[in-house]
Amino acid sequence: MIDRNALDAADVSDVILQYDHNGKVLARNSNNTLLVETDDYGLFVCADLSKSTASKELYEEIDSGLVTRMSWAFTVADEEYNRETRT
């Protein structure tokens, strides 16, 4: 689990959406095709996948059920882990 306040001071001014953490950029928030924000449930992500052939293909894969999950990556300046709370 990640603490609900972990991203409070994060720089999310140019977050990108990629498939498999590499390759083409499919959406990004600096051009308003990607929205990334924290909410009461976790990390809310909304992407406009209509701007490139690759992003349209990803939309089709999501729509057909071939892609059903996502992951996200980040870097941290300082870190600590609490074994009791798993945060």
Side-chain angles (χ1 to χ4, degrees), residues 14 24 28 38-39 44 49-50 56 60 77:
D14 196 21
K24 292 186 176 217
R28 75 183 321 137
T38 56
D39 62 18
F44 177 80
L49 299 176
S50 69
K56 290 174 187 174
E60 292 297 326

Side-chain angles (χ1 to χ4, degrees), residues 44-78:
F44 177 80
V45 177
C46 179
D48 176 352
L49 299 176
S50 69
K51 303 300 182 190
S52 72
T53 301
S55 62
K56 290 174 187 174
E57 289 174 0
L58 176 60
Y59 174 82
E60 292 297 326
E61 292 169 355
I62 294 169
D63 191 49
S64 68
L66 292 171
V67 175
T68 60
R69 293 183 171 92
M70 68 172 283
S71 62
W72 53 286
F74 58 94
T75 57
V76 295
D78 299 313

Side-chain angles (χ1 to χ4, degrees), residues 2-50:
I2 298 173
D3 186 276
R4 72 171 37 245
N5 301 311
L7 299 175
D8 286 353
D11 177 7
V12 293
S13 61
D14 196 21
V15 176
I16 60 173
L17 173 72
Q18 294 178 304
Y19 188 82
D20 261 351
H21 300 276
N22 60 31
K24 292 186 176 217
V25 174
L26 304 171
R28 75 183 321 137
N29 66 339
S30 64
N31 77 345
N32 297 315
T33 56
L34 180 64
L35 172 65
V36 178
E37 59 185 27
T38 56
D39 62 18
D40 289 338
Y41 300 100
L43 189 64
F44 177 80
V45 177
C46 179
D48 176 352
L49 299 176
S50 69

